[in-house]
Amino acid sequence: MKLTSLKDGGRDGTLIVVSRDLSTAVQVANIAGTMQAALDAWSEVEAGLRSTYDMLNDGRLEDAFALDPAALAAPLPRAYQWCDGSAYLSHAELVRKARGAEMPESLYVDPLMYQGGSDTMQGPRDDIVLADPDWGLDLEAEIAVITDDVPLGTSVDQAVDHIKLITILNDVSLRLLMPAELAKGFGFFQSKPSTAFAPVFVTPDELGSAWNGRRLALPIMSHVNGELLGAPNAGDDLDFDFATLIAHATKTRSLGPGTIVGSGTVSNRNRLAGSSCLQERRMIEKIETGEFKTPFLQYGDTVRIEMFDPQGRTIFGAIEQKVVRP
């Protein structure tokens, strides 16, 4: 099943069910008006949403309409909780080198996670508004899962059952603001603007054998200005899977329905797979040549992030964004 939110002039959008091929959609106000409402009552509404999805794919709904990605908000336009991890330690190692920081040994056994801003999530075609090009604008291609209610103290094995939806995202970063922020000892804030999401959330069954309940084993492709930046496999070199990240997050709190848990930038130790962010490419250039060559994003640049199934069909649709002035 594939779900998303249609822009409607409000803050939370209108929930729609989307066909498997992302060509058509239908509103489901009789089941749930918004994505958050659906997640709040998931066990009650899932069957109705699935029935609608099946009828939509079979062409049996007269009120179906053509899907326009530009008309979409983020699938969850604002979330009560956005927890982003750093589950690919090969990425963390390179980025810390860029800051001249050592990799703490604890990160190899205890996941790194921060709480991101979730009041204004961006849709798949929304522009990236950049106030100052000297802030080091970067993309970060990630995987994310969306949960139902997750109790305090949930174990890794229990966490698997709380993953209800999956997507990809662009965790926009301002790299040159990060060092000063992190030096204060309180973490990211100004250096993490609004996150952008793929057109749809999908249920795990849509992913077939690529999803094992804890990780998604498919390449995630990132392009900048039409040039391939990388296509690392999200299932490789994942040091902390999603069940582990959820269990980590619930050590001291419960998680409400609609909590988004991110993987951090997808990164493979095999550098032939390329990168999911510019900072990684810059670090590799520094190591190999002694200098940074790839610039950060500038006005007019475009970003595209997408994932395909083994048959070459897009799964979540593409994130396509342009960098613009305020």
PDB file of all heavy atoms in Angstrom, residues 244-278:
ATOM      1  N   THR A 244      16.901  -1.743  15.936  1.00  0.00           N
ATOM      2  CA  THR A 244      17.856  -1.310  16.955  1.00  0.00           C
ATOM      3  C   THR A 244      17.714   0.183  17.245  1.00  0.00           C
ATOM      4  O   THR A 244      17.777   0.610  18.403  1.00  0.00           O
ATOM      5  CB  THR A 244      19.288  -1.615  16.485  1.00  0.00           C
ATOM      6  OG1 THR A 244      19.420  -3.023  16.263  1.00  0.00           O
ATOM      7  CG2 THR A 244      20.318  -1.176  17.513  1.00  0.00           C
ATOM      8  N   LEU A 245      17.491   0.981  16.208  1.00  0.00           N
ATOM      9  CA  LEU A 245      17.316   2.420  16.405  1.00  0.00           C
ATOM     10  C   LEU A 245      16.053   2.718  17.222  1.00  0.00           C
ATOM     11  O   LEU A 245      16.060   3.592  18.094  1.00  0.00           O
ATOM     12  CB  LEU A 245      17.247   3.134  15.055  1.00  0.00           C
ATOM     13  CG  LEU A 245      18.529   3.148  14.222  1.00  0.00           C
ATOM     14  CD1 LEU A 245      18.264   3.799  12.863  1.00  0.00           C
ATOM     15  CD2 LEU A 245      19.658   3.868  14.956  1.00  0.00           C
ATOM     16  N   ILE A 246      14.977   1.994  16.936  1.00  0.00           N
ATOM     17  CA  ILE A 246      13.736   2.210  17.680  1.00  0.00           C
ATOM     18  C   ILE A 246      13.913   1.811  19.143  1.00  0.00           C
ATOM     19  O   ILE A 246      13.477   2.521  20.065  1.00  0.00           O
ATOM     20  CB  ILE A 246      12.581   1.433  17.029  1.00  0.00           C
ATOM     21  CG1 ILE A 246      12.246   2.044  15.661  1.00  0.00           C
ATOM     22  CG2 ILE A 246      11.348   1.418  17.931  1.00  0.00           C
ATOM     23  CD1 ILE A 246      11.307   1.203  14.826  1.00  0.00           C
ATOM     24  N   ALA A 247      14.552   0.667  19.379  1.00  0.00           N
ATOM     25  CA  ALA A 247      14.802   0.236  20.757  1.00  0.00           C
ATOM     26  C   ALA A 247      15.670   1.255  21.488  1.00  0.00           C
ATOM     27  O   ALA A 247      15.446   1.550  22.671  1.00  0.00           O
ATOM     28  CB  ALA A 247      15.462  -1.139  20.757  1.00  0.00           C
ATOM     29  N   HIS A 248      16.633   1.809  20.793  1.00  0.00           N
ATOM     30  CA  HIS A 248      17.493   2.842  21.384  1.00  0.00           C
ATOM     31  C   HIS A 248      16.670   4.065  21.778  1.00  0.00           C
ATOM     32  O   HIS A 248      16.824   4.616  22.875  1.00  0.00           O
ATOM     33  CB  HIS A 248      18.573   3.233  20.378  1.00  0.00           C
ATOM     34  CG  HIS A 248      19.428   4.385  20.818  1.00  0.00           C
ATOM     35  ND1 HIS A 248      20.483   4.229  21.680  1.00  0.00           N
ATOM     36  CD2 HIS A 248      19.383   5.708  20.504  1.00  0.00           C
ATOM     37  CE1 HIS A 248      21.056   5.409  21.893  1.00  0.00           C
ATOM     38  NE2 HIS A 248      20.404   6.319  21.196  1.00  0.00           N
ATOM     39  N   ALA A 249      15.767   4.477  20.902  1.00  0.00           N
ATOM     40  CA  ALA A 249      14.967   5.676  21.153  1.00  0.00           C
ATOM     41  C   ALA A 249      14.008   5.483  22.320  1.00  0.00           C
ATOM     42  O   ALA A 249      13.654   6.453  23.005  1.00  0.00           O
ATOM     43  CB  ALA A 249      14.194   6.063  19.899  1.00  0.00           C
ATOM     44  N   THR A 250      13.569   4.251  22.558  1.00  0.00           N
ATOM     45  CA  THR A 250      12.579   4.009  23.616  1.00  0.00           C
ATOM     46  C   THR A 250      13.213   3.604  24.948  1.00  0.00           C
ATOM     47  O   THR A 250      12.502   3.179  25.856  1.00  0.00           O
ATOM     48  CB  THR A 250      11.575   2.917  23.189  1.00  0.00           C
ATOM     49  OG1 THR A 250      12.277   1.692  22.917  1.00  0.00           O
ATOM     50  CG2 THR A 250      10.792   3.352  21.968  1.00  0.00           C
ATOM     51  N   LYS A 251      14.501   3.778  25.072  1.00  0.00           N
ATOM     52  CA  LYS A 251      15.153   3.469  26.356  1.00  0.00           C
ATOM     53  C   LYS A 251      14.565   4.312  27.491  1.00  0.00           C
ATOM     54  O   LYS A 251      14.392   3.836  28.614  1.00  0.00           O
ATOM     55  CB  LYS A 251      16.650   3.716  26.252  1.00  0.00           C
ATOM     56  CG  LYS A 251      17.419   3.436  27.543  1.00  0.00           C
ATOM     57  CD  LYS A 251      18.911   3.629  27.362  1.00  0.00           C
ATOM     58  CE  LYS A 251      19.663   3.346  28.656  1.00  0.00           C
ATOM     59  NZ  LYS A 251      21.136   3.483  28.488  1.00  0.00           N
ATOM     60  N   THR A 252      14.248   5.587  27.194  1.00  0.00           N
ATOM     61  CA  THR A 252      13.784   6.486  28.247  1.00  0.00           C
ATOM     62  C   THR A 252      12.428   7.111  27.955  1.00  0.00           C
ATOM     63  O   THR A 252      11.968   7.960  28.721  1.00  0.00           O
ATOM     64  CB  THR A 252      14.794   7.625  28.465  1.00  0.00           C
ATOM     65  OG1 THR A 252      14.925   8.376  27.243  1.00  0.00           O
ATOM     66  CG2 THR A 252      16.155   7.071  28.876  1.00  0.00           C
ATOM     67  N   ARG A 253      11.790   6.753  26.843  1.00  0.00           N
ATOM     68  CA  ARG A 253      10.506   7.370  26.475  1.00  0.00           C
ATOM     69  C   ARG A 253       9.727   6.431  25.567  1.00  0.00           C
ATOM     70  O   ARG A 253      10.301   5.513  24.958  1.00  0.00           O
ATOM     71  CB  ARG A 253      10.751   8.686  25.739  1.00  0.00           C
ATOM     72  CG  ARG A 253      11.319   8.500  24.327  1.00  0.00           C
ATOM     73  CD  ARG A 253      11.672   9.811  23.670  1.00  0.00           C
ATOM     74  NE  ARG A 253      12.872  10.386  24.264  1.00  0.00           N
ATOM     75  CZ  ARG A 253      13.362  11.579  23.927  1.00  0.00           C
ATOM     76  NH1 ARG A 253      12.742  12.322  23.039  1.00  0.00           N
ATOM     77  NH2 ARG A 253      14.463  12.028  24.502  1.00  0.00           N
ATOM     78  N   SER A 254       8.443   6.673  25.474  1.00  0.00           N
ATOM     79  CA  SER A 254       7.643   6.002  24.458  1.00  0.00           C
ATOM     80  C   SER A 254       7.651   6.862  23.196  1.00  0.00           C
ATOM     81  O   SER A 254       8.024   8.039  23.244  1.00  0.00           O
ATOM     82  CB  SER A 254       6.211   5.796  24.953  1.00  0.00           C
ATOM     83  OG  SER A 254       5.616   7.050  25.256  1.00  0.00           O
ATOM     84  N   LEU A 255       7.246   6.283  22.083  1.00  0.00           N
ATOM     85  CA  LEU A 255       7.154   7.009  20.821  1.00  0.00           C
ATOM     86  C   LEU A 255       5.699   7.027  20.372  1.00  0.00           C
ATOM     87  O   LEU A 255       5.040   5.992  20.365  1.00  0.00           O
ATOM     88  CB  LEU A 255       8.024   6.350  19.742  1.00  0.00           C
ATOM     89  CG  LEU A 255       9.519   6.246  20.026  1.00  0.00           C
ATOM     90  CD1 LEU A 255      10.221   5.512  18.881  1.00  0.00           C
ATOM     91  CD2 LEU A 255      10.147   7.614  20.247  1.00  0.00           C
ATOM     92  N   GLY A 256       5.221   8.195  19.980  1.00  0.00           N
ATOM     93  CA  GLY A 256       3.848   8.310  19.532  1.00  0.00           C
ATOM     94  C   GLY A 256       3.677   7.849  18.104  1.00  0.00           C
ATOM     95  O   GLY A 256       4.650   7.729  17.345  1.00  0.00           O
ATOM     96  N   PRO A 257       2.437   7.573  17.693  1.00  0.00           N
ATOM     97  CA  PRO A 257       2.192   7.176  16.307  1.00  0.00           C
ATOM     98  C   PRO A 257       2.588   8.289  15.353  1.00  0.00           C
ATOM     99  O   PRO A 257       2.342   9.468  15.609  1.00  0.00           O
ATOM    100  CB  PRO A 257       0.675   6.927  16.276  1.00  0.00           C
ATOM    101  CG  PRO A 257       0.138   7.708  17.432  1.00  0.00           C
ATOM    102  CD  PRO A 257       1.197   7.683  18.481  1.00  0.00           C
ATOM    103  N   GLY A 258       3.236   7.887  14.260  1.00  0.00           N
ATOM    104  CA  GLY A 258       3.739   8.869  13.319  1.00  0.00           C
ATOM    105  C   GLY A 258       5.158   9.299  13.597  1.00  0.00           C
ATOM    106  O   GLY A 258       5.671  10.209  12.936  1.00  0.00           O
ATOM    107  N   THR A 259       5.818   8.665  14.542  1.00  0.00           N
ATOM    108  CA  THR A 259       7.245   8.943  14.761  1.00  0.00           C
ATOM    109  C   THR A 259       8.032   8.497  13.539  1.00  0.00           C
ATOM    110  O   THR A 259       7.858   7.381  13.035  1.00  0.00           O
ATOM    111  CB  THR A 259       7.759   8.212  16.018  1.00  0.00           C
ATOM    112  OG1 THR A 259       7.146   8.787  17.172  1.00  0.00           O
ATOM    113  CG2 THR A 259       9.276   8.332  16.135  1.00  0.00           C
ATOM    114  N   ILE A 260       8.897   9.372  13.056  1.00  0.00           N
ATOM    115  CA  ILE A 260       9.763   9.071  11.913  1.00  0.00           C
ATOM    116  C   ILE A 260      11.168   8.797  12.438  1.00  0.00           C
ATOM    117  O   ILE A 260      11.729   9.619  13.173  1.00  0.00           O
ATOM    118  CB  ILE A 260       9.794  10.235  10.911  1.00  0.00           C
ATOM    119  CG1 ILE A 260       8.382  10.576  10.430  1.00  0.00           C
ATOM    120  CG2 ILE A 260      10.690   9.892   9.711  1.00  0.00           C
ATOM    121  CD1 ILE A 260       8.312  11.851   9.606  1.00  0.00           C
ATOM    122  N   VAL A 261      11.726   7.652  12.085  1.00  0.00           N
ATOM    123  CA  VAL A 261      13.078   7.281  12.508  1.00  0.00           C
ATOM    124  C   VAL A 261      13.941   7.143  11.255  1.00  0.00           C
ATOM    125  O   VAL A 261      13.668   6.308  10.390  1.00  0.00           O
ATOM    126  CB  VAL A 261      13.085   5.965  13.306  1.00  0.00           C
ATOM    127  CG1 VAL A 261      14.509   5.600  13.719  1.00  0.00           C
ATOM    128  CG2 VAL A 261      12.183   6.081  14.542  1.00  0.00           C
ATOM    129  N   GLY A 262      14.975   7.989  11.153  1.00  0.00           N
ATOM    130  CA  GLY A 262      15.841   8.000   9.981  1.00  0.00           C
ATOM    131  C   GLY A 262      17.118   7.219  10.196  1.00  0.00           C
ATOM    132  O   GLY A 262      17.598   7.053  11.320  1.00  0.00           O
ATOM    133  N   SER A 263      17.667   6.755   9.091  1.00  0.00           N
ATOM    134  CA  SER A 263      18.888   5.938   9.128  1.00  0.00           C
ATOM    135  C   SER A 263      20.156   6.761   9.193  1.00  0.00           C
ATOM    136  O   SER A 263      21.223   6.244   9.510  1.00  0.00           O
ATOM    137  CB  SER A 263      18.956   5.069   7.871  1.00  0.00           C
ATOM    138  OG  SER A 263      19.100   5.892   6.710  1.00  0.00           O
ATOM    139  N   GLY A 264      20.073   8.059   8.869  1.00  0.00           N
ATOM    140  CA  GLY A 264      21.280   8.805   8.568  1.00  0.00           C
ATOM    141  C   GLY A 264      21.692   8.526   7.133  1.00  0.00           C
ATOM    142  O   GLY A 264      21.133   7.657   6.450  1.00  0.00           O
ATOM    143  N   THR A 265      22.652   9.277   6.647  1.00  0.00           N
ATOM    144  CA  THR A 265      23.085   9.167   5.253  1.00  0.00           C
ATOM    145  C   THR A 265      23.502   7.752   4.896  1.00  0.00           C
ATOM    146  O   THR A 265      24.354   7.157   5.569  1.00  0.00           O
ATOM    147  CB  THR A 265      24.256  10.117   4.987  1.00  0.00           C
ATOM    148  OG1 THR A 265      23.881  11.433   5.374  1.00  0.00           O
ATOM    149  CG2 THR A 265      24.646  10.107   3.526  1.00  0.00           C
ATOM    150  N   VAL A 266      22.903   7.199   3.846  1.00  0.00           N
ATOM    151  CA  VAL A 266      23.260   5.856   3.394  1.00  0.00           C
ATOM    152  C   VAL A 266      24.681   5.880   2.837  1.00  0.00           C
ATOM    153  O   VAL A 266      25.023   6.718   1.992  1.00  0.00           O
ATOM    154  CB  VAL A 266      22.282   5.351   2.322  1.00  0.00           C
ATOM    155  CG1 VAL A 266      22.689   3.968   1.826  1.00  0.00           C
ATOM    156  CG2 VAL A 266      20.860   5.325   2.876  1.00  0.00           C
ATOM    157  N   SER A 267      25.507   4.963   3.323  1.00  0.00           N
ATOM    158  CA  SER A 267      26.925   4.987   2.962  1.00  0.00           C
ATOM    159  C   SER A 267      27.477   3.569   2.938  1.00  0.00           C
ATOM    160  O   SER A 267      27.226   2.783   3.855  1.00  0.00           O
ATOM    161  CB  SER A 267      27.694   5.835   3.990  1.00  0.00           C
ATOM    162  OG  SER A 267      29.077   5.840   3.728  1.00  0.00           O
ATOM    163  N   ASN A 268      28.214   3.255   1.892  1.00  0.00           N
ATOM    164  CA  ASN A 268      28.897   1.956   1.780  1.00  0.00           C
ATOM    165  C   ASN A 268      30.403   2.137   1.903  1.00  0.00           C
ATOM    166  O   ASN A 268      30.955   3.137   1.456  1.00  0.00           O
ATOM    167  CB  ASN A 268      28.592   1.295   0.440  1.00  0.00           C
ATOM    168  CG  ASN A 268      27.161   0.807   0.307  1.00  0.00           C
ATOM    169  OD1 ASN A 268      26.727   0.444  -0.777  1.00  0.00           O
ATOM    170  ND2 ASN A 268      26.399   0.790   1.409  1.00  0.00           N
ATOM    171  N   ARG A 269      31.045   1.156   2.512  1.00  0.00           N
ATOM    172  CA  ARG A 269      32.510   1.215   2.615  1.00  0.00           C
ATOM    173  C   ARG A 269      33.176   0.981   1.255  1.00  0.00           C
ATOM    174  O   ARG A 269      34.313   1.382   1.048  1.00  0.00           O
ATOM    175  CB  ARG A 269      32.996   0.216   3.655  1.00  0.00           C
ATOM    176  CG  ARG A 269      32.662   0.670   5.076  1.00  0.00           C
ATOM    177  CD  ARG A 269      33.283  -0.184   6.154  1.00  0.00           C
ATOM    178  NE  ARG A 269      33.196   0.497   7.441  1.00  0.00           N
ATOM    179  CZ  ARG A 269      32.133   0.462   8.248  1.00  0.00           C
ATOM    180  NH1 ARG A 269      31.071  -0.236   7.867  1.00  0.00           N
ATOM    181  NH2 ARG A 269      32.130   1.107   9.390  1.00  0.00           N
ATOM    182  N   ASN A 270      32.451   0.329   0.350  1.00  0.00           N
ATOM    183  CA  ASN A 270      32.918   0.210  -1.029  1.00  0.00           C
ATOM    184  C   ASN A 270      32.658   1.541  -1.723  1.00  0.00           C
ATOM    185  O   ASN A 270      31.540   1.844  -2.121  1.00  0.00           O
ATOM    186  CB  ASN A 270      32.180  -0.916  -1.746  1.00  0.00           C
ATOM    187  CG  ASN A 270      32.553  -1.009  -3.213  1.00  0.00           C
ATOM    188  OD1 ASN A 270      33.480  -0.336  -3.688  1.00  0.00           O
ATOM    189  ND2 ASN A 270      31.839  -1.844  -3.958  1.00  0.00           N
ATOM    190  N   ARG A 271      33.674   2.360  -1.895  1.00  0.00           N
ATOM    191  CA  ARG A 271      33.510   3.714  -2.416  1.00  0.00           C
ATOM    192  C   ARG A 271      33.113   3.743  -3.892  1.00  0.00           C
ATOM    193  O   ARG A 271      32.719   4.797  -4.408  1.00  0.00           O
ATOM    194  CB  ARG A 271      34.799   4.514  -2.202  1.00  0.00           C
ATOM    195  CG  ARG A 271      35.175   4.666  -0.727  1.00  0.00           C
ATOM    196  CD  ARG A 271      34.062   5.311   0.067  1.00  0.00           C
ATOM    197  NE  ARG A 271      34.332   5.325   1.503  1.00  0.00           N
ATOM    198  CZ  ARG A 271      33.428   5.588   2.434  1.00  0.00           C
ATOM    199  NH1 ARG A 271      32.179   5.828   2.084  1.00  0.00           N
ATOM    200  NH2 ARG A 271      33.747   5.583   3.711  1.00  0.00           N
ATOM    201  N   LEU A 272      33.175   2.584  -4.563  1.00  0.00           N
ATOM    202  CA  LEU A 272      32.731   2.539  -5.961  1.00  0.00           C
ATOM    203  C   LEU A 272      31.227   2.767  -6.068  1.00  0.00           C
ATOM    204  O   LEU A 272      30.728   3.107  -7.139  1.00  0.00           O
ATOM    205  CB  LEU A 272      33.107   1.198  -6.587  1.00  0.00           C
ATOM    206  CG  LEU A 272      34.613   0.915  -6.742  1.00  0.00           C
ATOM    207  CD1 LEU A 272      34.831  -0.481  -7.327  1.00  0.00           C
ATOM    208  CD2 LEU A 272      35.272   1.969  -7.627  1.00  0.00           C
ATOM    209  N   ALA A 273      30.512   2.570  -4.963  1.00  0.00           N
ATOM    210  CA  ALA A 273      29.071   2.798  -4.962  1.00  0.00           C
ATOM    211  C   ALA A 273      28.737   4.282  -4.978  1.00  0.00           C
ATOM    212  O   ALA A 273      27.578   4.654  -5.187  1.00  0.00           O
ATOM    213  CB  ALA A 273      28.437   2.133  -3.743  1.00  0.00           C
ATOM    214  N   GLY A 274      29.720   5.137  -4.751  1.00  0.00           N
ATOM    215  CA  GLY A 274      29.457   6.567  -4.711  1.00  0.00           C
ATOM    216  C   GLY A 274      28.906   6.994  -3.371  1.00  0.00           C
ATOM    217  O   GLY A 274      28.894   6.227  -2.398  1.00  0.00           O
ATOM    218  N   SER A 275      28.426   8.225  -3.304  1.00  0.00           N
ATOM    219  CA  SER A 275      28.017   8.822  -2.037  1.00  0.00           C
ATOM    220  C   SER A 275      26.574   9.303  -2.089  1.00  0.00           C
ATOM    221  O   SER A 275      26.017   9.543  -3.162  1.00  0.00           O
ATOM    222  CB  SER A 275      28.929   9.996  -1.683  1.00  0.00           C
ATOM    223  OG  SER A 275      30.278   9.568  -1.544  1.00  0.00           O
ATOM    224  N   SER A 276      26.005   9.485  -0.893  1.00  0.00           N
ATOM    225  CA  SER A 276      24.649  10.013  -0.764  1.00  0.00           C
ATOM    226  C   SER A 276      24.641  11.453  -0.280  1.00  0.00           C
ATOM    227  O   SER A 276      23.584  12.009   0.007  1.00  0.00           O
ATOM    228  CB  SER A 276      23.837   9.146   0.204  1.00  0.00           C
ATOM    229  OG  SER A 276      23.655   7.854  -0.314  1.00  0.00           O
ATOM    230  N   CYS A 277      25.825  12.047  -0.171  1.00  0.00           N
ATOM    231  CA  CYS A 277      25.931  13.457   0.190  1.00  0.00           C
ATOM    232  C   CYS A 277      27.247  14.002  -0.377  1.00  0.00           C
ATOM    233  O   CYS A 277      28.184  13.247  -0.659  1.00  0.00           O
ATOM    234  CB  CYS A 277      25.866  13.653   1.699  1.00  0.00           C
ATOM    235  SG  CYS A 277      27.292  13.029   2.599  1.00  0.00           S
ATOM    236  N   LEU A 278      27.298  15.301  -0.536  1.00  0.00           N
ATOM    237  CA  LEU A 278      28.495  15.936  -1.087  1.00  0.00           C
ATOM    238  C   LEU A 278      29.660  15.915  -0.105  1.00  0.00           C
ATOM    239  O   LEU A 278      30.818  15.849  -0.519  1.00  0.00           O
ATOM    240  CB  LEU A 278      28.176  17.374  -1.489  1.00  0.00           C
ATOM    241  CG  LEU A 278      27.156  17.535  -2.612  1.00  0.00           C
ATOM    242  CD1 LEU A 278      26.752  18.993  -2.768  1.00  0.00           C
ATOM    243  CD2 LEU A 278      27.701  16.985  -3.924  1.00  0.00           C
TER     244      LEU A 278
END
